[in-house]
Amino acid sequence: VGAHKDQTRNDGATPLWIAAAKGHLDVVRHLVEVGAHKDQATNGGATPLMIAAAKGHLDVVQHLTEVGAHKNQARNDGATPLMIAAHRGHLDVVRHLVDIGARKNEATRDTGETALHAAAEMGHVEIVRFLIERGADSHATTRSGRSALDLASQGGHSEVVRFLAKIRSESPSKIPRLG
């Protein structure tokens, strides 16, 4: 009796999820070819695309998106593959996801953070620049009212702070006004 291609571990991980996590493109290809469910999530809502994005496995991310994995599917907390890649600092994965139409200004359900917030909070200035250049909203705030600039400041990420402060000074009309 052979194992089922979508059989899960106790945490909900499938063979495809595990292969994506390890960056085993050949195994990912084979499992997809034999019909493994591309968007089956773990108990926490993480799909194979999300774990590949988190680990920076660009080739696996590219393959999964080419075969129809949902680029904007969110985990239980609302984080998307783009947010996860931005948080982890994987610029090549962020570029690919944006290039294929991932929603740049999507916010998590629980905190309201976007991919830009995630990159700024972690100090990933090249991702912050890229997202802004591609239309991410530099003035968006989280549910608690924090901007990407606030998060970068809190983390002591001076290069990100300088960049975001410059962006704000160049477009003051877009800064939300209180009162």
Side-chain angles (χ1 to χ4, degrees):
V1 177
H4 188 270
K5 64 188 170 296
D6 288 323
Q7 182 175 346
T8 62
R9 300 185 313 200
N10 291 342
D11 62 0
T14 62
L16 179 59
W17 191 95
I18 295 164
K22 297 293 185 181
H24 298 311
L25 180 60
D26 55 336
V27 177
V28 168
R29 278 191 177 127
H30 175 73
L31 289 168
V32 169
E33 285 171 11
V34 298
H37 187 315
K38 296 176 290 290
D39 291 317
Q40 186 166 336
T42 62
N43 299 344
T47 64
L49 177 58
M50 289 174 195
I51 190 62
K55 301 283 188 171
H57 300 309
L58 178 61
D59 54 349
V60 174
V61 169
Q62 289 170 325
H63 181 70
L64 288 170
T65 56
E66 286 167 8
V67 297
H70 192 302
K71 64 185 169 279
N72 292 311
Q73 185 170 335
R75 284 188 317 216
N76 296 352
D77 64 0
T80 64
L82 178 60
M83 292 174 200
I84 295 165
H87 182 269
R88 295 284 184 97
H90 300 302
L91 178 59
D92 53 349
V93 174
V94 168
R95 270 188 224 272
H96 172 72
L97 291 169
V98 169
D99 286 348
I100 64 166
R103 294 189 293 256
K104 296 175 290 293
N105 293 311
E106 184 85 7
T108 62
R109 287 184 291 280
D110 57 351
T111 65
E113 289 189 13
T114 65
L116 181 62
H117 289 119
E121 182 175 30
M122 300 307 292
H124 303 306
V125 70
E126 292 303 319
I127 293 175
V128 168
R129 278 192 187 108
F130 175 77
L131 289 170
I132 296 287
E133 288 169 4
R134 296 299 293 271
D137 182 359
S138 65
H139 302 290
T141 58
T142 64
R143 297 214 191 295
S144 62
R146 297 186 305 169
S147 67
L149 179 58
D150 296 331
L151 293 169
S153 297
Q154 179 181 326
H157 304 299
S158 57
E159 197 173 355
V160 176
V161 169
R162 280 192 293 276
F163 177 75
L164 289 172
K166 181 177 184 247
I167 294 297
R168 283 189 168 219
S169 71
E170 292 173 355
S171 60
S173 63
K174 293 183 179 176
I175 299 174
R177 303 284 180 214
L178 297 177

